[in-house]
Amino acid sequence: MYSIIVFLPLLGALIAGFFGRWIGARGAGILTSAFLAVSAVLSIWALYSVGLNAHEPHMERIEVLRWVTSGALDVYWALRIDTLTVVMLVVVTFVSGLVHIYSIGYMSHDPHQQRFFSYLSLFTFAMLMLVTSDNFLQLFFGWEGVGLASYLLIGFWYKKPSACAAAIKAFIVNRVGDFGFALGIFAIFFVFGAIDFNTVFGTASEQVGQTFNFLGYEVDVLTTICLLLFMGAMGKSAQFFLHTWLPDAMEGPTPVSALIHAATMVTAGVFLVARCSPLFELSETALWVVTIVGATTAFFAATVGLVQNDIKRVIAYSTCSQLGYMFAALGLGAYGVAIFHLFTHAFFKALLFLGSGSVIHAMSDEQDMRKMGGLFPHLKITWAMMLIGTIALTGVGIPGLFGTAGFYSKDAIIEASYAAHSGAGSFAFWMTVLAALMTSFYSWRLMFMTFHGKSRASKEVMSHVHESPNVMLVPLYLLAAGALLAGIVFAPYFIGHDETHFWASSLFRSESNHIVHDMHEVPLWVKWSATVMMLVGFVLAWVMYIRNPALPKRLAEQHVLLYRFLLNKWYFDEIYDFLLVRPAKWLGRFLWKKGDGWLIDGFGPDGVAARVIDVTNRVVKLQTGYVFHYAFVMLIGVAALITYFMFSGIGGTH
């Protein structure tokens, strides 16, 4: 069953890619969507049998083939099936299947649909390989596979310079993180002599306190390995400093944004840290770094999302912020809480992205919210779906009674931060609470600017506004159900009384880690803090964009420096351009002009080699092929010899 789940998307990618000309665009869409639907149904069954209905912890290893054998390195391509795996299988296949179906309508006018569906399925296969990996090499294979597929999908409209630039940027920034990830894998093999999870995790405790010398400093082995692995997670999951690629990646088609940058690929880093919990749990320093980076990302991305005007970029920065929440939970040791938010986030964030795609589709590809407004009467279904996504993202609910998916998972992270009772935990608590306020504000700002108030679109655009077809709306209905119910249904298993049994086979917590128990006993004001922030954010957005729409402009003019600072994303792109891009270009130009042109070419092809060619060209001209020329030269030679003998006295008598 698991081989079918993993390899059906690959089969769909191959058929759509190599035989798309014969099956046609519609055939490619239907075929790949059907394969993903089968994988999704089987994944849901796997979650039920392995996780929800399992009487004892389940861990299964399915060998596919012997993969790499080189000296001490002996690696099998195997599928690791445990609770964490089946949760990720549901996330990947369910969201990917709905995105495939949605794309049948959204991409209906694109002339290259077969290629698009092939890339989507290829990405899904790579992600499935990542989450089912049984060793670090196999995980790295899937890791790089989703990187390749994301490059192809972001730059799908390759005739757009901005799309090509965004694809290259995503690829390069991820390579920075992947360099650290690769070093981490090398270090694991060097220290443990193996790279399969069972061996590494089973012997990790033996390395506690072990150090190695680096530039005269004694460095902890496990901390170094964990930080190198986390470097890869930072790049893939767009964490602070390595986040700059994620907003630009919105240049790809909207279904790509929903699949890659909301629900699956960007959560690969979260999955990596959770999978490696037996390593991270043994390094307090690594966990501290993960917490600080995650909390900082949650706050930073939320501040930037406040002022963005592109509807997809607002949601993109929201994704970046929510990923920060997940890493904050991981750093606090609340691994199950982080995966719970990953799980619920997939539903409502994919819903928001696909809903924005429905808006863009209706608005003749317009993405600027300043040119929208007043769409509610024309797009009532899309409005309702995005409203559900918004209340799930902002965490609408009443503590102790009921709530949306985000209410259960996001609030659990805030409570865990407070329950940590540490410096990093306190920092994470206040950063995530402030991020909750800003999340509510920019989410409702998006709704008000897009659907309410007076229309700011041209009459020509408004004349073509229409609701999306059912092939695009049905996926929204299913995602909306998940956004509303995933929290209340799965909370008991992921973070409730059954969570120890549920995660027993896949996540590791030391005996001193009681974070999940303690988070349920925080003061009442902590439990209400996120709800209060949500309400305050809603009221502020309503005042500024419904009651007094002129207020945001006045505030921007009064605080122009702050506004520009946020609008320009804390100037990270400009800083990186000044510190990294320009010096790299200068160095490349110097090596090209001076090193290659002046030195190598000047003394090589254009120097010594050119002089040899000049000499040989002149010498060759002496070979005319005429006998009288050769006879004349011989005569001159004989005369020269006779003259030499006459004047040197050679052959004379005494």
Side-chain angles (χ1 to χ4, degrees):
M1 178 178 75
Y2 296 104
S3 296
I4 295 174
I5 293 173
V6 172
F7 289 104
L8 262 185
L10 176 61
L11 180 61
L14 294 175
I15 294 175
F18 290 107
F19 303 101
R21 182 181 302 177
W22 289 276
I23 64 177
R26 189 168 184 81
I30 293 175
L31 178 74
T32 54
S33 299
F35 283 179
L36 260 298
V38 173
S39 292
V41 171
L42 293 177
S43 298
I44 293 172
W45 171 252
L47 175 61
Y48 175 76
S49 58
V50 173
L52 304 181
N53 197 44
H55 299 292
E56 11 182 274
H58 180 95
M59 209 294 286
E60 181 180 357
R61 184 174 182 271
I62 304 172
E63 290 187 359
V64 178
L65 52 85
R66 194 170 190 174
W67 192 18
V68 177
T69 301
S70 177
L73 182 64
D74 191 9
V75 180
Y76 280 83
W77 192 334
L79 308 180
R80 183 185 183 91
I81 307 301
D82 56 19
T83 309
L84 180 59
T85 300
V86 295
V87 168
M88 294 302 298
L89 287 179
V90 170
V91 170
V92 175
T93 58
F94 185 76
V95 174
S96 180
L98 295 181
V99 168
H100 273 73
I101 296 171
Y102 179 93
S103 299
I104 294 175
Y106 190 87
M107 302 294 291
S108 59
H109 301 297
D110 195 281
H112 306 291
Q113 294 178 60
Q114 297 96 316
R115 178 164 59 90
F116 180 78
F117 284 107
S118 177
Y119 290 170
L120 279 185
S121 292
L122 177 64
F123 166 82
T124 307
F125 165 71
M127 190 68 193
L128 291 173
M129 285 308 309
L130 191 158
V131 301
T132 58
S133 56
D134 185 57
N135 57 74
F136 284 98
L137 182 61
Q138 188 179 333
L139 192 152
F140 192 73
F141 170 81
W143 192 273
E144 294 303 308
V146 294
L148 168 64
S150 66
Y151 170 80
L152 296 173
L153 286 167
I154 296 169
F156 179 76
W157 288 321
Y158 57 86
K159 293 185 179 180
K160 289 175 57 179
S162 58
C164 293
I168 294 172
K169 185 176 183 179
F171 195 81
I172 292 176
V173 173
N174 272 273
R175 295 294 73 72
V176 175
D178 293 355
F179 177 70
F181 187 21
L183 290 179
I185 297 175
F186 299 154
I188 287 172
F189 182 69
F190 179 77
V191 172
F192 295 95
I195 57 174
D196 63 284
F197 292 152
N198 286 340
T199 302
V200 174
F201 297 159
T203 58
S205 59
E206 300 174 6
Q207 299 299 325
V208 174
Q210 298 295 318
T211 62
F212 68 96
N213 187 278
F214 181 73
L215 299 178
Y217 295 92
E218 290 297 320
V219 183
D220 187 79
V221 170
L222 285 177
T223 297
T224 302
I225 290 175
C226 290
L227 291 179
L228 289 172
L229 295 178
F230 180 57
M231 184 176 174
M234 286 177 64
K236 194 68 72 181
S237 295
Q239 291 302 282
F240 198 60
F241 293 126
L242 294 179
H243 66 277
T244 55
W245 66 271
L246 183 61
D248 290 359
M250 298 303 106
E251 288 292 337
T254 300
V256 172
S257 304
L259 177 62
I260 299 181
H261 306 108
T264 50
M265 189 188 93
V266 293
T267 60
V270 179
F271 169 81
L272 171 64
V273 176
R275 174 62 81 198
C276 295
S277 56
L279 298 177
F280 280 85
E281 192 73 355
L282 300 176
S283 174
E284 292 185 5
T285 302
L287 289 177
W288 181 87
V289 172
V290 173
T291 303
I292 298 300
V293 171
T296 303
T297 305
F299 175 80
F300 153 75
T303 62
V304 178
L306 295 174
V307 297
Q308 296 301 304
N309 296 308
D310 186 308
I311 187 172
K312 288 171 62 176
R313 284 181 179 257
V314 174
I315 305 174
Y317 276 106
S318 172
T319 298
C320 191
S321 180
Q322 297 306 306
L323 289 167
Y325 274 89
M326 299 175 204
F327 278 105
L330 291 170
L332 296 168
Y335 307 105
V337 177
I339 298 300
F340 185 35
H341 194 47
L342 182 158
F343 183 78
T344 61
H345 176 262
F347 292 104
F348 57 74
K349 191 51 64 67
L351 175 60
L352 286 170
F353 264 117
L354 295 185
S356 69
S358 182
V359 173
I360 295 168
H361 182 76
M363 292 291 291
S364 304
D365 297 327
E366 180 59 65
Q367 297 182 197
D368 193 335
M369 295 186 298
R370 293 171 297 183
K371 299 179 181 179
M372 297 181 185
L375 295 179
F376 168 71
H378 309 280
L379 303 174
K380 292 182 179 179
I381 298 178
T382 299
W383 171 84
M385 295 300 99
M386 291 198 70
L387 177 64
I388 292 174
T390 299
I391 63 175
L393 171 61
T394 57
V396 172
I398 299 178
L401 293 178
F402 63 89
T404 56
F407 168 79
Y408 284 93
S409 59
K410 187 172 70 174
D411 288 22
I413 294 175
I414 294 175
E415 293 166 13
S417 300
Y418 182 88
H421 299 298
S422 64
S426 297
F427 176 77
F429 173 74
W430 290 111
M431 290 296 99
T432 51
V433 167
L434 291 174
L437 168 64
M438 292 182 283
T439 298
S440 178
F441 176 83
Y442 65 64
S443 297
W444 289 110
R445 172 180 178 264
L446 183 151
M447 289 295 295
F448 295 149
M449 289 185 68
T450 303
F451 294 101
H452 300 280
K454 296 181 180 179
S455 174
R456 297 175 295 278
S458 65
K459 291 183 179 180
E460 181 181 359
V461 170
M462 291 301 296
S463 65
H464 298 291
V465 172
H466 59 284
E467 192 62 85
S468 299
N470 286 328
V471 72
M472 294 172 62
L473 293 178
V474 169
L476 299 185
Y477 301 151
L478 296 176
L479 290 170
L484 289 174
L485 303 175
I488 194 171
V489 171
F490 292 98
Y493 300 97
F494 283 68
I495 61 172
H497 56 276
D498 293 329
E499 64 90 21
T500 302
H501 172 78
F502 186 76
W503 295 117
S505 64
S506 54
L507 300 180
F508 173 77
R509 290 204 310 267
S510 63
E511 295 181 359
S512 60
N513 186 341
H514 306 292
I515 187 72
V516 179
H517 175 269
D518 295 343
M519 60 179 271
H520 295 295
E521 299 180 356
V522 297
L524 188 61
W525 71 268
V526 174
K527 295 183 177 182
W528 275 92
S529 60
T531 301
V532 172
M533 292 297 102
M534 178 270 297
L535 293 173
V536 172
F538 169 79
V539 171
L540 287 175
W542 180 81
V543 170
M544 296 177 66
Y545 292 95
I546 296 297
R547 183 171 183 178
N548 189 2
L551 184 58
K553 184 178 180 180
R554 290 206 305 269
L555 288 175
E557 292 172 347
Q558 292 172 3
H559 307 280
V560 63
L561 293 179
L562 176 61
Y563 176 73
R564 289 179 179 175
F565 178 72
L566 298 179
L567 187 64
N568 288 282
K569 303 156 288 188
W570 290 28
Y571 291 102
F572 265 101
D573 285 322
E574 289 78 5
I575 293 172
Y576 285 170
D577 181 67
F578 178 77
L579 294 179
L580 302 174
V581 177
R582 292 184 185 180
K585 287 183 176 180
W586 177 88
L587 179 61
R589 189 176 293 107
F590 174 81
L591 294 175
W592 169 35
K593 293 292 187 181
K594 299 298 182 182
D596 192 28
W598 178 78
L599 181 62
I600 298 176
D601 288 345
F603 288 91
D606 297 335
V608 176
R611 299 295 76 77
V612 172
I613 292 175
D614 290 342
V615 172
T616 54
N617 285 338
R618 289 181 172 87
V619 171
V620 164
K621 292 179 180 179
L622 297 176
Q623 305 293 328
T624 64
Y626 294 109
V627 176
F628 61 87
H629 285 173
Y630 300 150
F632 177 73
V633 172
M634 291 172 64
L635 181 61
I636 296 298
V638 171
L641 284 173
I642 293 173
T643 303
Y644 173 75
F645 291 148
M646 288 175 59
F647 285 99
S648 62
I650 299 176
T653 59
H654 296 286

